[in-house]
Amino acid sequence: MDLLLRNAKVFTPAGPVECDVAVKDGKVTKVAGDLQEQASKVIDLTGKYVFPGLVDGHTHMEFPFMGTVTADDFFHGTRAAVAGGVTTIVDFITPPKGSSLLEAYKTWRSNADPKVISDYGLHMIVREATPATLEEIPTLIGQGVVSFKLFMAYKGELMLTDGEIYRLTKKISENGGVVGVHAENGEVIDELVGEYLRQGKVEPVYHSYTRPEELEVEATNRVATIGSVLGKGVKMYIVHTSTGESVDVMSSYRRKGYKFFNETTPHYLVLNVDALRRPDGHRFVCSPPYRSDEQRTKLWHRLGSGEIFTVGSDHCVYSDQQKRRFKDTVPPFNEIPNGVPGTETILPILFHFGVRKGLISPETMVAVTSYNSARLYGLFPRKGTFSIGSDADFAVLDPNLTVKITPDVLHSNIDYTIYDGVTVTGWNVMTIRRGEVVFQEGQVIGSKGSGSYVPGSNPTV
Ligand code: URP
Ligand code: ZN
Ligand code: ZN
Ligand code: ZN
């Protein structure tokens, strides 16, 4: 054996398993109460909580957006990921306008392969529904890109019309893919942005006024309706859901037999709109915006009940300078690149604010951070499950370690965090990716380029 984990308490969606775990060639090979195997490396995990390595299904490394490119490339971004117990990211290929999707896939592979520390899969953002892009979809699915993101907002940049969404959803579904949707009504948002700017209301908080909850719920209803017209074979999920009502829309379709789901992100669970009123509010601009505490409560409830299917980070990092567009003053809210960091803090935020406070069970936390995401993105059972033959990917949490979050304890390529000063109990202290320790004692030791591309196939939801 290459590795033996002794006295591991491994949390799974079905409950904790107290066991020894043997690993060979990167796979879990034996699990038993007490293993007598010889192994080159033995790690005693007494007192720790072991989770299947997180599958962060929502990251934007090297993402060209709003006139800039995100500050975390695949090296820095996956360095942050593994430090947080994330062993697989699923990143969004973002093809330039007019480009072939397959060419963009090749570009993303060549950007990522030499740099990644975690393993990774890829989603495809589709910004045009031309005959050429539609024709490429089956080939992409064959290359392991089985999930697609369609935008109902960011007019002029990524937004699609309802007709385009219909056409793409049809093509993706006919070929066995999954449709992810950014659900906000971009047409009305643009009207509101114009109104606020004309009144001189330009501070970051007006970002939230121009993207009210109703526009997320309306877009969710609309895209679910479009999907339902195409029948129950459609697999669709709303990315980065910020409202309980959007969850309720998808849940009501699910009760009728549709495979419709929601993802949320940690920042909607713990931050509210006041973040945008801070002196550094520009750093917090992302879409959808943070909501009220009442909405946070609704999201926690739906996460705890299993109605929210996955939690991804929407890791989309800009330096403070990028957020200010390299000016001394903060630009109008509509010019601030949208997105916030998050892959490294999924586990401590969910554990401290969710599990420790009794809002979600550890089993639910495992389901939404690895098991469900691996299934939805077609990475299961290689990823997202603690089973014989699956990749030996683990996050090892010290449930009693209290950490004050500051930029110094994190690994992104920026010098701030949206959780600065927040104290949490429960921190990832070791990450094992395919049987190799890639993070321990605060240090990322996995080498650049040691991560692998994991092609998706056959979403099992
Ligand atoms: O503000 C966000 N969410 N930025 C990243 C792009 C997206 O919409 O996911
Ligand atoms: Zn989005
Ligand atoms: Zn409920
Ligand atoms: Zn995103």
Side-chain angles (χ1 to χ4, degrees):
M1 293 297 154
D2 301 326
L3 173 68
L4 188 59
L5 304 176
R6 285 225 178 272
N7 306 311
K9 182 174 185 176
V10 187
F11 287 84
T12 76
V17 186
E18 302 206 26
C19 56
D20 290 352
V21 183
V23 176
K24 180 138 184 64
D25 299 329
K27 309 270 186 205
V28 172
T29 50
K30 278 188 188 171
V31 177
D34 188 20
L35 285 175
Q36 298 305 323
E37 318 286 318
Q38 296 296 311
S40 341
K41 190 178 169 89
V42 178
I43 304 174
D44 190 326
L45 295 174
T46 304
K48 305 291 191 295
Y49 286 2
V50 181
F51 298 102
L54 276 68
V55 177
D56 181 356
H58 194 146
T59 70
H60 301 272
M61 313 304 178
E62 306 184 29
F63 174 44
F65 186 52
M66 292 188 76
T68 189
V69 176
T70 49
D72 267 354
D73 63 7
F74 280 96
F75 170 63
H76 295 93
T78 58
R79 188 176 70 174
V82 297
V86 173
T87 48
T88 309
I89 61 165
V90 192
D91 198 80
F92 287 95
I93 302 169
T94 312
K97 244 189 192 141
S99 110
S100 137
L101 305 183
L102 272 166
E103 282 308 312
Y105 161 77
K106 288 180 197 152
T107 305
W108 252 252
R109 287 293 310 273
S110 61
N111 288 344
D113 282 334
K115 296 183 206 143
V116 280
I117 306 174
S118 70
D119 286 347
Y120 77 105
L122 292 168
H123 312 277
M124 178 63 71
I125 288 175
V126 189
R127 65 201 306 167
E128 287 146 319
T130 59
T133 53
L134 285 157
E135 202 171 303
E136 287 181 306
I137 285 170
T139 319
L140 278 166
I141 291 175
Q143 299 281 346
V145 183
V146 299
S147 97
F148 294 80
K149 184 174 175 187
L150 312 181
F151 286 79
M152 302 174 84
Y154 305 131
K155 192 176 171 188
E157 187 155 11
L158 296 170
M159 189 171 109
L160 298 163
T161 65
D162 292 352
E164 289 170 323
I165 288 173
Y166 173 84
R167 236 178 292 152
L168 287 163
T169 301
K170 186 172 180 182
K171 190 76 178 182
I172 293 163
S173 303
E174 282 168 357
N175 288 279
V178 178
V179 180
V181 184
H182 179 127
E184 288 187 294
N185 183 321
E187 289 286 352
V188 177
I189 288 168
D190 251 32
E191 294 297 321
L192 292 170
V193 169
E195 286 177 19
Y196 279 92
L197 292 179
R198 284 192 292 277
Q199 293 170 53
K201 295 177 172 167
V202 295
E203 289 76 28
V205 73
Y206 293 109
H207 175 70
S208 77
Y209 287 72
T210 62
R211 308 181 90 100
E213 294 172 7
E214 290 81 350
L215 297 186
E216 176 181 276
V217 183
E218 182 277 327
T220 303
N221 262 303
R222 180 157 37 105
V223 79
T225 307
I226 295 170
S228 73
V229 167
L230 287 161
K232 291 185 177 161
V234 173
K235 295 174 181 174
M236 180 180 274
Y237 73 105
I238 305 298
V239 301
H240 52 48
T241 306
S242 71
T243 61
E245 289 75 8
S246 170
V247 178
D248 296 345
V249 170
M250 299 309 260
S251 295
S252 73
Y253 275 98
R254 213 167 40 254
R255 283 191 289 272
K256 290 183 234 161
Y258 291 91
K259 290 176 175 140
F260 288 5
F261 305 95
N262 295 81
E263 170 201 63
T264 192
T265 73
H267 43 271
Y268 299 122
L269 292 162
V270 295
L271 296 174
N272 67 23
V273 62
D274 291 338
L276 294 171
R277 297 191 170 95
R278 296 165 44 130
D280 60 351
H282 58 286
R283 293 173 172 176
F284 290 78
V285 169
C286 66
S287 294
Y290 318 100
R291 307 298 188 185
S292 60
D293 286 339
E294 194 189 340
Q295 274 299 355
R296 291 198 306 108
T297 304
K298 289 183 193 173
L299 289 178
W300 276 118
H301 176 78
R302 286 156 179 77
L303 192 63
S305 67
E307 291 160 276
I308 293 176
F309 197 64
T310 62
V311 174
S313 68
D314 200 1
H315 187 81
C316 184
V317 175
Y318 305 97
S319 67
D320 188 77
Q321 286 207 322
Q322 285 179 295
K323 283 282 195 184
R324 288 185 284 105
R325 290 193 165 262
F326 301 93
K327 290 182 190 131
D328 293 334
T329 53
V330 173
F333 65 86
N334 64 315
E335 292 174 26
I336 301 169
N338 284 206
V340 291
T343 192
E344 192 170 355
T345 42
I346 299 172
L347 184 55
I349 294 290
L350 287 186
F351 186 78
H352 178 86
F353 291 100
V355 175
R356 287 186 71 89
K357 295 192 189 300
L359 296 174
I360 62 171
S361 66
E363 288 77 20
T364 298
M365 189 178 85
V366 171
V368 298
T369 56
S370 58
Y371 180 68
N372 289 349
S373 31
R375 288 191 297 145
L376 185 60
Y377 310 128
L379 308 175
F380 186 88
R382 176 168 168 193
K383 299 294 183 187
T385 178
F386 175 54
S387 309
I388 306 291
S390 292
D391 282 358
D393 294 338
F394 299 103
V396 179
L397 183 106
D398 181 338
N400 300 310
L401 179 60
T402 297
V403 172
K404 183 172 165 186
I405 303 178
T406 62
D408 288 348
V409 302
L410 300 176
H411 296 80
S412 261
N413 194 22
I414 49 163
D415 56 7
Y416 69 89
T417 155
I418 58 171
Y419 302 114
D420 208 358
V422 172
T423 298
V424 291
T425 298
W427 195 255
N428 185 59
V429 292
M430 181 187 286
T431 305
I432 299 169
R433 186 223 55 215
R434 279 181 283 110
E436 184 187 336
V437 177
V438 290
F439 171 78
Q440 69 178 355
E441 289 164 11
Q443 300 296 320
V444 175
I445 53 176
S447 62
K448 191 173 175 178
S450 63
S452 288
Y453 174 61
V454 186
S457 67
N458 222 8
T460 40
V461 287

